[in-house]
Amino acid sequence: MAKITENTRTEVREIVLAFFAEECEADKSQIKDNTSIIKDLDGDSLMFLELIEIFKKKYNLDIELKTIGKYAVKHPVETIGQLIEMQMLIIELENRLLELEK
Amino acid sequence: MAENTISFVFPAFISDYRDDPSREVPVFHEVFQEYLSKAAGLAGSELLAFHPESNPLLQNELLNQYISYIYGCSCAGILLNSGIKPVMTAGYSMGIYASLYSTGSISFETGLLFIQKAYEAIRSTVPGDHYGMCGVIGLSEKDIREIAVHYNLNLAIVNCNSDHSFIIAGDSFHINVFLLKAREEGALHARSLGVSIPYHTNLLTEASKLLAETVSTADVHAPGIPVISVLSQEMITDAEQVRREVVKNICHPFNWLATQLKMFNSGVRIFTECGPSQALRKNSKFIPGGGKFVNWNTLVNTL
């Protein structure tokens, strides 16, 4: 289980914003926590998957995609802020993510 | 950019025009309209109503396939006329026809005929509202098979796009049950593809036999550029192989992941998608070591 520091949070936010700015050809400074990934950025599930893969590689995470999928069914991600929070949980809990449900 | 390492790849259907590279290529409109007029004369005047924004014909399976073919042929023609010659080509599913056209194996008219006859053969042998297809992302092949076995679903995995992206076909009720269960089991994305034909399943075996009657007498040549089979990942280099591939393509599963990796391992380093939707380019991000995609307009405009 990784320890989340303020640096981690800053790094995750930076990666998420840079990713969507590039993928969606958006102005990074205009992407806020309440920006809708689908409505405002025209994002899709492949982008979500790509981002997960980026974080899995960067933090050497041990987590199955379906674990994230099961969590996302109960906690749908619509905004950039929600996505960042979910990525933080994934980094912190990895395959124990679903234990939050118990 | 070394031109001898390029592959043209052709999508089956068009899903949207949001990222359409043709907007950056002024000659495209003229070339496309020429092909469109020719196709309308042969396949039906309703094609003339096509417009990428106001009437994209995305919901009609046959017309969508025609438009995708016309787009692919237009795009390949412009690339070839610009001096960009691929070392090989591949067609994703029904993208096979534009792929063959781009290699000189079949004429534009023969490609249209194959699309039309395949559709007629399928419609005469398979009921129109009993079947469907879906895409699922985030589950493994094992997960998918376990869901199908557990709920006794009569479905087939007809394509592997990457380790976590699959296309499934079969009975439409079973598809709907599968979509529900796949989401419950943690699929990040699971949705119907909005088609009523179970392409690439043995349900189309009879249709393939009917299609064979047309293909066996059609004017087919050896491809001037190798075509890679998405069914077997073998190189198709003569006319008889082309005929067999066209017939088999509609009723056999394929493997896009293995196809792209085979192309990469054969020396291809740059892929360009001859279609407006860029679905193959997006999928390629999940094929590690699978090469780089460059938009076809970039290839044309950088020469």
Side-chain angles (χ1 to χ4, degrees):
Chain A
M1 200 182 324
K3 184 169 166 48
I4 301 296
T5 64
E6 204 46 47
N7 277 349
T8 318
R9 185 173 288 278
T10 306
E11 196 171 57
V12 167
R13 172 176 292 278
E14 184 57 31
I15 290 169
V16 169
L17 296 187
F19 175 82
F20 279 101
E22 185 184 343
E23 286 293 318
C24 304
E25 295 177 358
D27 181 349
K28 194 171 131 187
S29 66
Q30 297 301 310
I31 304 176
K32 309 291 183 194
D33 275 1
N34 62 357
T35 299
S36 166
I37 296 167
I38 293 175
K39 288 180 191 161
D40 299 330
L41 295 173
D42 207 15
D44 58 32
S45 51
L46 279 179
M47 289 180 193
F48 185 49
L49 179 59
E50 193 178 356
L51 204 47
I52 290 168
E53 294 294 340
I54 288 169
F55 282 111
K56 277 178 76 172
K57 197 177 283 182
K58 180 164 181 58
Y59 294 102
N60 195 25
L61 301 177
D62 175 24
I63 185 163
E64 284 193 277
L65 289 176
K66 62 181 178 182
T67 300
I68 299 170
K70 282 179 183 171
Y71 183 80
V73 167
K74 291 183 178 169
H75 306 273
V77 166
E78 291 174 4
T79 66
I80 290 292
Q82 290 169 340
L83 179 62
I84 290 170
E85 286 310 311
M86 182 186 278
Q87 293 295 350
M88 300 298 293
L89 286 173
I90 290 169
I91 293 166
E92 184 181 0
L93 300 171
E94 302 182 53
N95 258 329
R96 297 167 67 188
L97 181 66
L98 293 177
E99 289 181 12
L100 282 178
E101 302 298 302
K102 292 175 183 168
Chain B
M1 197 173 287
E3 67 172 23
N4 62 354
T5 63
I6 294 174
S7 172
F8 294 174
V9 293
F10 296 84
F13 292 95
I14 296 170
S15 57
D16 64 68
Y17 288 87
R18 284 175 296 181
D19 302 321
D20 184 3
S22 74
R23 294 191 193 109
E24 309 296 325
V25 183
V27 72
F28 180 84
H29 181 72
E30 188 186 329
V31 173
F32 181 86
Q33 287 301 323
E34 200 173 311
Y35 278 109
L36 186 69
S37 299
K38 201 184 282 186
L42 295 164
S45 59
E46 63 264 52
L47 282 169
L48 291 173
F50 169 78
H51 187 278
E53 282 150 24
S54 60
N55 189 23
L57 302 177
L58 298 178
Q59 306 307 319
N60 183 308
E61 287 177 54
L62 179 59
L63 296 183
N64 187 327
Q65 206 177 138
Y66 280 140
I67 295 295
S68 185
Y69 173 70
I70 294 165
Y71 190 111
C73 293
S74 306
C75 176
I78 291 169
L79 284 163
L80 291 167
N81 283 336
S82 301
I84 298 163
K85 192 179 175 193
V87 285
M88 64 187 73
T89 73
Y92 182 100
S93 182
M94 299 304 128
I96 185 175
Y97 308 113
S99 171
L100 292 171
Y101 170 77
S102 75
T103 69
S105 174
I106 59 173
S107 67
F108 178 70
E109 291 81 356
T110 299
L112 281 175
L113 179 72
F114 286 172
I115 294 170
Q116 182 184 29
K117 291 298 178 185
Y119 191 79
E120 286 174 4
I122 291 165
R123 280 294 171 232
S124 70
T125 54
V126 174
D129 54 357
H130 291 191
Y131 299 102
M133 296 179 78
C134 69
V136 60
I137 295 172
L139 295 182
S140 67
E141 184 173 344
K142 181 169 168 279
D143 294 330
I144 292 168
R145 293 198 188 283
E146 282 175 0
I147 292 172
V149 168
H150 187 80
Y151 295 98
N152 200 23
L153 303 176
N154 188 17
L155 300 171
I157 296 175
V158 297
N159 174 35
C160 168
N161 280 324
S162 69
D163 286 342
H164 295 284
S165 174
F166 296 89
I167 304 296
I168 292 151
D171 179 282
S172 56
F173 176 74
H174 289 201
I175 288 278
N176 288 334
V177 173
F178 175 79
L179 288 172
L180 281 173
K181 299 301 172 189
R183 289 180 195 122
E184 284 175 14
E185 287 303 314
L188 294 170
H189 179 83
R191 71 172 179 93
S192 165
L193 297 186
V195 296
S196 61
I197 293 170
Y199 288 106
H200 304 291
T201 67
N202 59 13
L203 292 162
L204 302 191
T205 302
E206 284 308 305
S208 78
K209 289 176 186 166
L210 291 175
L211 176 62
E213 293 171 14
T214 297
V215 174
S216 65
T217 57
D219 195 17
V220 175
H221 305 274
I225 301 159
V227 178
I228 184 165
S229 165
V230 297
L231 311 179
S232 66
Q233 291 72 55
E234 299 293 324
M235 292 298 173
I236 300 170
T237 55
D238 69 48
E240 274 317 299
Q241 285 176 303
V242 170
R243 291 181 200 278
R244 281 198 296 273
E245 187 78 3
V246 167
V247 170
K248 205 173 166 186
N249 184 52
I250 63 171
C251 64
H252 275 256
F254 68 107
N255 190 323
W256 185 254
L257 168 63
T259 302
Q260 191 176 324
L261 287 174
K262 177 66 184 285
M263 286 191 278
F264 182 81
N265 292 332
S266 302
V268 172
R269 290 296 175 270
I270 295 166
F271 296 87
T272 197
E273 180 170 357
C274 297
S277 304
Q278 303 303 301
L280 300 177
R281 178 179 64 81
K282 289 177 184 171
N283 179 70
S284 180
K285 293 176 179 177
F286 305 99
I287 302 181
K292 177 184 174 188
F293 267 67
V294 175
N295 283 351
W296 69 267
N297 61 315
T298 305
L299 291 177
V300 172
N301 291 335
T302 51
L303 275 176

